Amino acid sequence: KLGLSVKKDDNFGEWYSEVVVNGEMIEYYDISGCYILRPWTMSIWEVMQAFFDAEIKKMNIKNCYFPLFVSPGVLQREKDHIEGFAPEVAWVTKSGNSDLDVPIAIRPTSETVMYPYYSKWIRGHRDLPLKLNQWCNVVRWEFSNPTPFIRSREFLWQEGHTAFASKTEADAEVLEILELYRRVYEEFLAVPVIKGQKSELEKFAGGLYTTSVEAFIPNSGRGIQGATSHCLGQNFAKMFEINFEDDKGEKAMVWQNSWAYSTRTIGVMVMVHGDDKGLVLPPKVAALQIIVTPVPYKDANTQAILDTCAATVSTLNAAGFRAEADLRDNYSPGWKYSHWEMKGVPLRLEIGPKDLEKKQVRAVRRDNFAKTDIAIDGLVEKVKEMLDDIQQSLFNSAKLKRDACVVVAKTWGEFAEALGQKKLILAPWCNEEEVEKDVKARTKGDMGAAKSLCSPFDQPELPEDTLCFASGKPAKKWTYWGRSY
Ligand SMILES: O=C1CCCN[C@@H]1CCCn1cnc2cc(F)c(Cl)cc2c1=O
Ligand SMILES: [Mg+2]
């Protein structure tokens, strides 16, 4: 396993697919758009899952599991927005040699699977709020260029589906969940995101409004939806007759939300932090935070070096860190350095004869390659400090880089120029759907059209006479635009 054959800034697509394979996160599979998630990926997924699962349990949201298979009649219940998605529904049509009388769909999302039972279970206001989540896989047979983690035909996610007696409760939960998504990205993956609302054109067609956390990939100049939290209003309640007798004895429809994040989060993290030596993992999610490597020297006391490595690992593990020693004697120190750098391990501790003598270790950071000699005495404290600093500085540098990509555009000319420079564009918009469609039409091309990404909750000042960048009409709000995944 030598180094990468391309540089991140020279051939981003090729760099990405090599990094996820050489970093032992992904193995390509013989079915297009499907990928093997190796342990190095699953450990990252599990760290995020542990955090998010604990947080939703504090909100009294319960986990459940609904079937993978959807009967066709039920899937078509929500026909208005389904027809747009019909081509990506995967169907089971046979078992063994015999055809099924009725083909069965594989869930692309679970609204139509779950809501007939919400209707059955919700009778009176005492049955509310009903708040369920499931950790599962979904299948969408997409045809646009598949990319590990970012766009695959099967992916892992959580999908939350909640029902309330009032809109107020639903509105509050939408934002509570969105804040958890921000924390997943910013506190665990060290990726900056923008919280905002989707336009009418970009929102989930079956819902009332959509909020999202939007990330940005500087190398490709593309925005990417990081996670999404919808208020569904009473649309699904109407369709699936999910109503209840309220405390005044009146019949009322429930107010619902649905929200999800997926393994796409991991792809975003790789794209943002990776470098030309491979993965760069934020310590919070790294399966291995510290790798200890012996640097044996011809006549030095090799056994003492190996013993010190092992002892250092037990000390660090006892202190709650995820540390291992690479004591394999069939690989050189140099080989080990590039191997663990490729896998993105945040911190390496080298122990050679000199270090043994001085009762110290040589610490090497993965993010900036800084080398520091640390006394074995007080090692745990120093390692904690370094890992915290790596986590914070990964976020800080990603935020600086993302902010440097943001351009404010007030006219079409400025917008088009910024788009050509692969920027993330913040522009005043009249909020008219026709104008948004026009922007898409005018920017169509082999790089894909520009689209609205979100209108940030954190709105900059909008002076009275500000005009829309695209229509020249009075602007209503600031909105982020760009090409996207
Ligand atoms: O984004 C979320 C959060 C978690 C629960 N679901 C919603 C909406 C999902 C939209 N969506 C997304 N993709 C879909 C693909 C399909 F083939 C079909 Cl039939 C439907 C959909 C579809 O409704
Ligand atoms: Mg889709």
Side-chain angles (χ1 to χ4, degrees):
K1 225 174 312 85
L2 296 173
L4 300 169
S5 74
V6 293
K7 290 199 176 312
K8 186 181 184 183
D9 292 342
D10 294 347
N11 184 339
F12 185 57
E14 179 56 32
W15 169 87
Y16 179 71
S17 53
E18 278 191 28
V19 150
V20 295
V21 170
N22 288 20
E24 299 178 328
M25 292 185 90
I26 287 273
E27 190 65 68
Y28 277 75
Y29 192 58
D30 69 329
I31 297 170
S32 166
C34 299
Y35 305 97
I36 296 162
L37 305 184
R38 302 180 68 181
W40 207 244
T41 289
M42 286 313 285
S43 50
I44 295 173
W45 181 246
E46 289 169 352
V47 170
M48 293 189 284
Q49 180 174 36
F51 163 74
F52 189 79
D53 205 55
E55 287 301 319
I56 59 174
K57 282 189 165 95
K58 290 178 194 167
M59 296 167 67
N60 294 319
I61 295 163
K62 305 229 179 316
N63 282 329
C64 60
Y65 187 81
F66 279 75
L68 170 73
F69 304 107
V70 198
S71 43
V74 159
L75 189 78
Q76 262 100 26
R77 280 285 287 274
E78 207 201 330
K79 64 198 164 313
D80 67 334
H81 97 279
I82 292 281
E83 86 247 7
F85 290 118
E88 61 189 68
V89 178
W91 294 90
V92 179
T93 58
K94 290 172 63 125
S95 78
N97 284 334
S98 52
D99 292 346
L100 296 185
D101 308 350
V102 182
I104 296 169
I106 296 179
R107 68 177 165 228
T109 179
S110 300
E111 282 80 359
T112 58
V113 173
M114 298 170 78
Y115 296 170
Y117 299 92
Y118 277 39
S119 172
K120 183 177 179 198
W121 297 336
I122 296 169
R123 296 279 125 201
H125 67 279
R126 288 183 195 77
D127 301 320
L128 293 174
L130 176 61
K131 306 192 285 191
L132 300 179
N133 176 69
Q134 62 178 17
W135 294 92
C136 65
N137 62 334
V138 284
V139 172
R140 297 173 186 175
W141 218 255
E142 309 210 20
F143 289 89
S144 48
N145 48 325
T147 311
F149 299 119
I150 301 297
R151 200 181 5 258
S152 54
R153 285 174 160 168
E154 176 189 14
F155 55 87
L156 307 181
W157 73 351
Q158 55 66 220
E159 49 178 320
H161 295 268
T162 53
F164 300 92
S166 71
K167 182 177 187 297
T168 313
E169 291 168 284
D171 290 339
E173 189 206 60
V174 167
L175 297 181
E176 228 179 313
I177 293 292
L178 196 69
E179 170 58 7
L180 290 180
Y181 292 152
R182 181 199 66 75
R183 293 183 63 195
V184 164
Y185 272 98
E186 300 199 339
E187 294 176 13
F188 285 83
L189 300 173
V191 170
V193 290
I194 297 163
K195 278 183 180 177
Q197 184 163 333
K198 287 284 184 185
S199 68
E200 280 305 295
L201 188 65
E202 292 300 329
K203 78 173 191 184
F204 170 33
L208 180 60
Y209 63 84
T210 291
T211 69
S212 65
V213 285
E214 298 292 330
F216 185 75
I217 310 296
N219 279 76
S220 59
R222 289 177 183 273
I224 184 163
Q225 182 180 289
T228 180
S229 182
H230 314 281
C231 177
L232 306 178
Q234 297 177 306
N235 301 354
F236 284 87
K238 209 170 298 158
M239 207 182 304
F240 289 90
E241 295 176 63
I242 312 173
N243 36 51
F244 66 104
E245 199 175 285
D246 66 16
D247 45 10
K248 293 187 279 305
E250 314 265 307
K251 201 166 176 185
M253 286 189 288
V254 300
W255 291 86
Q256 290 175 271
N257 294 338
S258 77
W259 27 269
Y261 81 92
S262 74
T263 37
R264 162 178 284 201
T265 50
I266 298 172
V268 173
M269 180 271 291
V270 169
M271 289 184 162
V272 166
H273 298 308
D275 65 16
D276 289 334
K277 286 190 176 284
L279 297 171
V280 178
L281 301 183
K284 275 270 191 70
V285 296
L288 199 51
Q289 296 164 319
I290 305 132
I291 186 73
V292 179
T293 54
V295 189
Y297 200 66
K298 49 184 186 304
D299 55 1
N301 178 349
T302 306
Q303 195 48 49
I305 290 174
L306 299 181
D307 294 347
T308 309
C309 289
T312 305
V313 166
S314 340
T315 307
L316 292 168
N317 287 340
F321 296 107
R322 300 187 284 271
E324 274 177 22
D326 186 344
L327 307 178
R328 293 175 291 181
D329 60 5
N330 54 332
Y331 292 105
S332 70
W335 186 94
K336 291 177 184 180
Y337 299 164
S338 25
H339 173 74
W340 295 108
E341 283 165 3
M342 180 64 74
K343 287 178 71 71
V345 175
L347 194 60
R348 176 175 78 231
L349 304 182
E350 301 165 9
I351 301 181
K354 238 184 341 43
D355 308 302
L356 214 58
E357 214 174 285
K358 296 180 187 167
K359 296 194 180 317
Q360 69 183 32
V361 303
R362 157 70 48 107
V364 185
R365 285 175 54 143
R366 173 64 184 85
D367 62 330
N368 62 13
F369 296 101
K371 296 181 182 347
T372 324
D373 289 333
I374 311 178
I376 293 249
D377 182 21
L379 179 72
V380 167
E381 268 323 298
K382 194 78 180 90
V383 161
K384 176 171 179 11
E385 240 172 71
M386 292 182 86
L387 291 175
D388 290 347
D389 188 54
I390 292 169
Q391 183 79 29
Q392 192 56 52
S393 64
L394 282 174
F395 178 76
N396 296 345
S397 52
K399 188 161 183 322
L400 277 176
K401 197 158 180 203
R402 192 278 313 271
D403 291 348
C405 294
V406 176
V407 164
V408 173
K410 297 197 172 159
T411 66
W412 183 260
E414 291 171 2
F415 177 85
E417 186 190 5
L419 198 62
Q421 293 165 346
K422 297 186 165 188
K423 300 293 183 184
L424 174 57
I425 302 153
L426 182 58
W429 177 38
C430 61
N431 196 29
E432 291 186 15
E433 191 161 319
E434 281 319 302
V435 173
E436 184 172 5
K437 287 179 179 169
D438 190 43
V439 171
K440 288 182 112 167
R442 292 165 73 179
T443 57
K444 247 195 343 238
D446 50 10
M447 297 265 289
K451 63 201 300 195
S452 70
L453 301 167
C454 78
S455 292
F457 292 140
D458 180 11
Q459 283 282 310
E461 186 66 32
L462 185 67
E464 271 297 295
D465 54 353
T466 308
L467 302 179
C468 172
F469 77 100
S471 67
K473 297 177 180 176
K476 294 274 178 42
K477 56 186 178 180
W478 288 96
T479 302
Y480 281 100
W481 300 76
R483 291 198 175 90
S484 76
Y485 282 89

